[in-house]
Amino acid sequence: MTAIPSFTGDANPYGGGDPYADYRTADLPFTQYANLADRRLGAGVIAANDEFFAQRENLLVPEPAEFDPEHFGHKGKIMDGWETRRRRGASADHPWPTAEDHDWALVRLGAPGVIRGIVVDTAHFRGNYPQAVSVEGTRVPGSPSPEELLGDDVKWTTLVPRTAVGGHAANGFAVAVEQCFTHLRVNQHPDGGIARLRVHGEVVPDPAWLEALGTFDVVALENGGRAEDASNLFYSPASNTIQPGRSRKMDDGWETRRRRDRGHDWIRYRLAAQAQIRALEIDTAYLKGNSAGWASVSVKDGEDGDWQEILPRTRLQPDTNHRFVLPAPAVGTHARVDIFPDGGISRLRLFGSLTQEGTSMLAARHQELGG
């Protein structure tokens, strides 16, 4: 795995102009995975011990943090992130916080999953970021309250040990814990501000839930599907196509750059498990002058299987949801959508049910990861 650069210390004071001009970042090897802390999946920041200057919910806003140097409120500078007040010691003789003092926020992941990497983004927090951060994870079924999560009977696993971070930087941490988690506890030592939190990983669905549903979208992110690769990610990520719900704006789908050759674009997906597909949807919502002209869909069974076309190259209309019932069910573990020649789609839905083999494999993995 590529070494992840470590950023520490203050960024320079804001000097005017583009507030991101001196932002410190790097290519992080785990960002290929979906963000399990995405609000579209149902993630939320359910509690924090302090949010005096800026509210905790800002942590999960999907867009980059904004900065307005002249935006002040009754409590001081308004920051686009989660920011706590300055901690103080116990007395005039000991005015400094102790080594154990820290602030925390509880994050409910949008879907249970294995975490591959975490980004603690301190964008625009130049002199008011935490000295260090740490992140812990736990798995608690159902919908626990903050009080239940903070109970003595809940076991927390360290995902990111207490580590120094830098201001105005994307602080990335690879995670190598092969367990399934539902909640995180994000700690900042001793206080300060964090702009955004991203939690990249793989969804691990509950087999019992999928079995109860019977027929469901076997490529959906929330059900354990994943966009493995794509020909072009110029404008937006391929994983947008398997997000919950319909697209609400153009950049909520997948759009490629304009081709100037005779090729075409594609996305390859891994399904929740081996499944029998009976119907599909290709949606081009909000893609009006830039939707794909035609599309085809193929599936294969196993990594070494051959691709079998289940939807031949079909004309697409802009800003339209297209539905197709297959003449015969198709069995596979992977799927691919090919668009011609370029453009985009907003959503792909593959409706079906798990095979007996798929159910068994998914149940075994769920159990192995602590289910």
Side-chain angles (χ1 to χ4, degrees):
M1 178 174 288
T2 304
I4 297 177
S6 177
F7 303 109
T8 57
D10 294 346
N12 292 326
Y14 176 61
D18 178 7
Y20 274 104
D22 60 340
Y23 177 67
R24 296 178 286 177
T25 187
D27 290 332
L28 301 173
F30 49 74
T31 55
Q32 62 180 300
Y33 296 99
N35 177 20
L36 302 182
D38 194 321
R39 284 288 301 173
R40 290 174 293 180
L41 273 177
V45 188
I46 60 175
N49 71 307
D50 187 285
E51 47 187 329
F52 185 86
F53 285 115
Q55 58 192 15
R56 63 183 191 261
E57 288 85 357
N58 288 334
L59 283 172
L60 305 189
V61 171
E63 294 80 18
E66 297 181 352
F67 180 72
D68 182 349
E70 299 180 356
H71 196 190
F72 287 84
H74 294 293
K75 294 181 179 180
K77 180 72 184 72
I78 294 178
M79 297 294 291
D80 186 7
W82 168 49
E83 185 180 6
T84 66
R85 72 193 77 196
R86 299 188 188 215
R87 281 185 169 268
R88 299 300 187 219
S91 67
D93 292 333
H94 297 280
W96 309 279
T98 70
E100 291 75 31
D101 284 343
H102 67 278
D103 293 318
W104 53 265
L106 294 178
V107 176
R108 178 191 65 239
L109 298 180
V114 178
I115 298 169
R116 302 302 183 191
I118 296 173
V119 180
V120 177
D121 188 349
T122 57
H124 315 304
F125 288 93
R126 295 170 177 269
N128 51 346
Y129 59 93
Q131 183 182 26
V133 300
S134 61
V135 182
E136 302 159 281
T138 190
R139 179 188 178 93
V140 179
S143 303
S145 67
E147 293 74 20
E148 290 170 322
L149 288 170
L150 295 172
D152 294 337
D153 58 333
V154 174
K155 177 185 176 182
W156 291 89
T157 300
T158 298
L159 304 179
V160 178
R162 183 169 175 168
T163 306
V165 295
H168 197 45
N171 300 277
F173 306 94
V175 176
V177 180
E178 283 294 317
Q179 294 180 35
C180 182
F181 297 99
T182 59
H183 295 78
L184 300 185
R185 183 162 59 189
V186 181
N187 306 304
Q188 48 178 335
H189 309 267
D191 54 38
I194 299 170
R196 297 289 188 266
L197 177 74
R198 305 292 186 240
V199 183
H200 297 279
E202 300 175 70
V203 174
V204 179
D206 182 351
W209 174 253
L210 297 184
E211 185 178 3
L213 292 179
T215 297
F216 59 94
D217 182 359
V218 297
V219 75
L221 183 60
E222 61 187 324
N223 294 331
R226 176 183 164 195
E228 289 191 319
D229 199 7
S231 60
N232 188 276
L233 302 172
F234 190 83
Y235 286 113
S236 47
S239 59
N240 278 355
T241 60
I242 53 175
Q243 289 281 1
R246 296 198 68 195
S247 174
R248 297 187 176 184
K249 53 181 180 174
M250 191 175 72
D251 67 350
D252 192 22
W254 172 61
E255 181 188 358
T256 70
R257 65 184 304 160
R258 298 188 187 211
R259 276 191 170 268
R260 304 305 187 192
D261 58 21
R262 307 293 288 182
H264 73 281
D265 290 314
W266 51 267
I267 305 174
R268 186 181 74 241
Y269 304 91
R270 184 185 66 192
L271 308 184
Q274 187 189 64
Q276 188 177 68
I277 302 165
R278 294 185 289 274
L280 63 91
E281 291 183 2
I282 301 176
D283 195 353
T284 58
Y286 292 96
L287 295 163
K288 299 182 179 182
N290 49 357
S291 69
W294 293 262
S296 64
V297 178
S298 304
V299 300
K300 70 174 183 176
D301 190 20
E303 294 288 348
D304 299 324
D306 295 325
W307 289 106
Q308 303 292 328
E309 192 173 68
I310 62 173
L311 179 72
R313 193 179 303 188
T314 301
R315 188 74 166 97
L316 300 183
Q317 299 300 321
D319 195 28
T320 300
N321 191 28
H322 309 75
R323 291 179 170 175
F324 307 94
V325 176
L326 301 185
V331 174
T333 57
H334 294 73
R336 192 179 75 194
V337 60
D338 293 88
I339 64 170
F340 303 88
D342 57 19
I345 62 174
S346 62
R347 295 290 188 270
L348 175 72
R349 304 297 188 208
L350 302 178
F351 296 105
S353 54
L354 297 184
T355 64
Q356 184 174 356
E357 179 182 335
T359 299
S360 298
M361 292 182 65
L362 192 62
R365 184 165 188 261
H366 191 258
Q367 184 67 31
E368 178 185 346
L369 295 171

